[in-house]
Amino acid sequence: MLAVASLLLLVLGTASPASAHAALRATDPEDGTILQRAPRTLTLTYTESVGLLADSFRVYDPENHRLSTGQADHAPGRADTVRVPLPARMAKGTYVVAWRVVSADSHPVSGALTFSVGERTVTTATAPGAVENGTTTSLYNIARYLAYLAVALLLGAATFVAYCRPPQRGPLRPLFVVGAATLLVSTLALLLLRGPYEEGTAPAFTSLGRTLTTRPGELLLARLALLLLAVAGAWCLRRLSVPRPAAVTAGAILAVALALTWSAAEHASAGIQVPLAVASTTLHLLATAAWLGGLAALLLTLRTAAVPPRVVTRFSRLALTSVIVLVVTGVYQSWRGLGTWQALTETTYGRVLLAKLVAVGVLLGAAGWSRRWTGRLPTAEVRVEVPVPAGGPALAPEPPAAVPDVPVRHLRRTVLAEAAVGVVVLVLTTLLTSTLPGRAAEEAATAETGIPAASVTTVPFTVGENGRGKVQITFDPGRVGPNSVQAVVYGANGALAAVPELRITMTLPAQRLGPLDTGITDRGGYWATNSFDLPIPGTWTMKVTVRVSDLDQVTVSRTVRVAR
């Protein structure tokens, strides 16, 4: 199990950063717009409240010189809207804005946009603010996964001891030691890496002071304090005579408080129905720990010489209760995170959730087999009374009947399978907390007026030895009916690039319709048409032909979903 966990942590820790949770809803000026006059203020509105960093916004002129802007702040009464004062004088041309903020659920989000004054020009400006530091992100993600794994082991083992009451607690001591040590180290790592993770910089400890003044930093400090309090309480229980009800009550309060340091910092802390979401997430985490951490404790207990059947039976009831809590809270959290059924398959959050549901299904199957073997264990010890012959010596009664070895052996295997699949479920759960929820993705795709935002598709291309770049294509509104089409070509360095020819056609294979030529024309730095009709909804195939010279051209295809 530990080997599987280590492998998954290594793979996920070195993966590309997941989408953050706040998304850009609208900007003024709008992305890609051409203004007759230079704006005095740049305004960005997000899907949830955001926090500002010391260097959240960078504005570059057409010559790639950074402009001196005023201090960014929130609009009055709007924690989700940020204003950036711009210079009074701005030359004609295209400007690039790179931004990076921290969403309400503690995850940084970054991006870039462009606007032009007077006319759109080919600019050499890039968006350095959107780049993540791979080392910092990987280390931070690994620390998050380890923290989730550690709290599951710690709380699950404690719940197992309190409810199942195994006669021998010595075999479980490694779970408490490893869980507490891992949670301590991972929390300290998160505290030290928090600043660089938000800023997208290399690991450093220079921003620790600022981290300690933020809500994520305060919750991490609270987690450390609760962990130390729990360790001190466990030490006192071993040396003092504390009534069991008082010890269980104190442990339950500490467990809830510890779980709150997660639920109050991530998805549940932003969006709709925050109090209910925080309570649901807390229960979800506690039930996950009771089930998965309890599995690890049961696995170690089954390795001892004799295990009373009541211990296994009690854990079976505990696991069933945990599953019921997980189903109820999971359904609510899925509804809150997805928003619509379409988001289940059309968003990254939905696809990760589907993978988690499949893993939970496998886990329930393994749990069913465990319950089957649990039912074959004897429920009580059996003693056989032997009659004493007249005048003969008394015979000792036979020893208690031993628990059959076959059910125990099979039970160990099914519990081990449960624990292995449980690690996968735990990793997918952690991954969900780093993925843009489906509801937020849909909010980001819809303007404040309720009109669906334009459909934007980015198509990378490679032609010849040096012909690398991408085409950003916008269909507005991206639905059935008349659409305006804009296409901007970017070179390998991210700057706008001019090409001698660009052609875009649309085909609907399911209806054998097309190809329909969009008829875009060169507008001096970008390609566009004001009227192109998409007659039928469905999944269209868009073919983009880019010619970079008299001899070099390439055609790349992408699918585009067109709604009614």
Side-chain angles (χ1 to χ4, degrees), residues 328-504:
V328 174
T329 56
V331 168
Y332 168 72
Q333 290 172 205
S334 298
W335 167 81
R336 184 175 181 270
L338 288 173
T340 63
W341 286 107
Q342 290 79 2
L344 193 60
T345 56
E346 295 180 0
T347 64
T348 302
Y349 182 90
R351 290 188 286 270
V352 175
L353 180 60
L354 284 176
K356 179 183 175 180
L357 292 177
V358 171
V360 169
V362 175
L363 187 57
L364 289 175
W369 278 101
S370 295
R371 289 179 64 85
R372 176 184 177 187
W373 289 111
T374 299
R376 297 188 179 186
L377 296 176
T379 57
E381 296 177 343
V382 179
R383 291 179 180 271
V384 179
E385 297 295 338
V386 181
V388 179
L395 299 178
E398 292 187 3
V403 175
D405 182 59
V406 173
V408 172
R409 187 167 63 250
H410 283 284
L411 183 60
R412 288 171 183 164
R413 293 174 182 174
T414 57
V415 170
L416 180 60
E418 280 189 77
V421 180
V423 172
V424 178
V425 172
L426 196 60
V427 171
L428 290 173
T429 300
T430 311
L431 190 58
L432 274 177
T433 65
S434 300
T435 307
L436 179 67
R439 186 184 296 272
E442 290 187 346
E443 290 178 357
T446 304
E448 290 181 318
T449 58
I451 301 175
S455 168
V456 180
T457 305
T458 300
V459 182
F461 66 86
T462 302
V463 55
E465 295 182 359
N466 301 315
R468 295 178 180 271
K470 60 183 179 181
V471 184
Q472 181 176 293
I473 303 162
T474 302
F475 283 81
D476 190 2
R479 297 167 97 63
V480 169
N483 281 257
S484 63
V485 184
Q486 287 189 355
V488 182
V489 182
Y490 295 91
N493 61 352
L496 293 176
V499 295
E501 184 178 351
L502 182 65
R503 184 185 179 194
I504 301 174

Side-chain angles (χ1 to χ4, degrees), residues 38 46 140 242 361 431 500:
Y46 298 88
Y140 190 84
V242 180
L431 190 58

